[in-house]
Amino acid sequence: MSGARARVTLARTGVVSAQAGARGVVSIACKAIVHGGPLSMPRLAALLTTAVLLVLPTMAAAIEEPAYEVLQRHETFEVRQYAPTVVAEVVVPGPAEEAGNRGFRLLADYIFGNNRGERKIAMTAPVTQAAEPVKFAMTAPVTQAPEGSGHAVRFVMPRAYDLASLPEPVDPRVRLREVPGERYAVIRYSGRWTDENYATHLARLQQGVQAAGLATAGSPVYARYDPPWVPWFLRRNEIWLRLA
């Protein structure tokens, strides 16, 4: 067996073992709930957190991320040079949280087979989100109200694909496009996906970038690397500011 094949086999074995362990922990919790066992909420939370901890490292190792090089490290952020990527993108109107959830579902639908040929595409991380103006087609009557903006939600496609080899989306709201390689100032943090947590770290990033004498362009990009069931204290969140 070649070294590469052996590594793949060991990785798959690790994933299976972790999943089996997680299933066992979840089974204990479920049986206690169904049969009315003496399982307190702290105990239940501990069991479910253990299950997540068993599968999280193997899942993280299996998810592809966009390639980048760290150019500079500062006290609160780092400067990264990202390679060109191909993304699936959807622009969704509405508040940030609502738009992010709707956009995620539309893009997940695409990569899980709702495309010409019904091909499935591997999940990558992170899911990114940035504010973008939304323009609506002319209708009658014409009305005006505080509306303003929506959000562009993107999935980065695996590096094995290019625009020519990706399946065509069935949903016309999903578009595929190439994103050029760019430099970003990036702050990484954990915690809940709240506006307060985001605003705190965005302000910290902006202050650090200004102190370093760097200029930015465009809207901040909010990057989430983990699914919602990952405990808040283990989540990897980032904010990216594109450098001019």
Side-chain angles (χ1 to χ4, degrees):
M1 181 181 294
S2 67
R5 187 174 299 175
R7 285 193 294 272
V8 170
T9 301
L10 287 172
R12 288 176 178 169
T13 302
V15 171
V16 171
S17 299
Q19 289 175 340
R23 283 196 297 269
V25 173
V26 172
S27 176
I28 293 172
C30 291
K31 287 178 181 178
I33 294 171
V34 171
H35 297 293
L39 186 63
S40 65
M41 287 304 296
R43 175 61 174 162
L44 175 61
L47 284 170
L48 295 178
T49 299
T50 301
V52 170
L53 290 172
L54 283 168
V55 297
L56 189 59
T58 51
M59 286 184 61
I63 294 178
E64 181 178 310
E65 298 181 10
Y68 67 85
E69 177 186 359
V70 177
L71 302 179
Q72 301 173 24
R73 285 190 171 89
H74 298 264
E75 183 178 354
T76 57
F77 71 97
E78 64 185 21
V79 175
R80 299 176 185 171
Q81 175 67 53
Y82 276 87
T85 57
V86 176
V87 301
E89 179 181 76
V90 61
V91 177
V92 185
E97 183 176 359
E98 178 184 335
N101 291 336
R102 288 177 57 200
F104 185 96
R105 288 193 295 269
L106 289 168
L107 294 173
D109 193 38
Y110 165 68
I111 69 169
F112 292 142
N114 187 25
N115 52 66
R116 308 294 180 190
E118 299 183 353
R119 292 160 55 192
K120 293 184 179 180
I121 302 168
M123 185 69 179
T124 62
V127 178
T128 66
Q129 180 174 331
E132 177 171 313
V134 176
K135 296 180 179 179
F136 296 93
M138 179 66 72
T139 60
V142 177
T143 62
Q144 184 174 339
E147 175 69 51
S149 63
H151 289 79
V153 184
R154 300 173 181 169
F155 278 6
V156 178
M157 296 293 97
R159 287 188 287 273
Y161 291 92
D162 57 22
L163 284 178
S165 59
L166 280 169
E168 179 185 353
V170 172
D171 192 322
R173 291 170 292 183
V174 178
R175 62 174 180 169
L176 306 175
R177 70 184 188 90
E178 293 178 338
V179 176
E182 292 176 316
R183 287 188 311 143
Y184 287 93
V186 179
I187 187 169
R188 177 172 175 171
Y189 63 100
S190 62
R192 294 183 171 89
W193 298 331
T194 63
D195 291 341
E196 182 180 3
N197 199 20
Y198 173 85
T200 297
H201 289 89
L202 175 59
R204 190 174 301 168
L205 175 59
Q206 290 171 328
Q207 291 167 4
V209 167
Q210 184 177 11
L214 300 172
T216 63
S219 301
V221 177
Y222 182 27
R224 294 178 290 178
Y225 286 78
D226 300 298
W229 48 261
V230 172
W232 60 268
F233 55 87
L234 293 176
R235 291 177 186 171
R236 175 184 171 186
N237 311 310
E238 292 180 345
I239 302 173
W240 304 351
L241 291 177
R242 184 165 61 87
L243 297 178

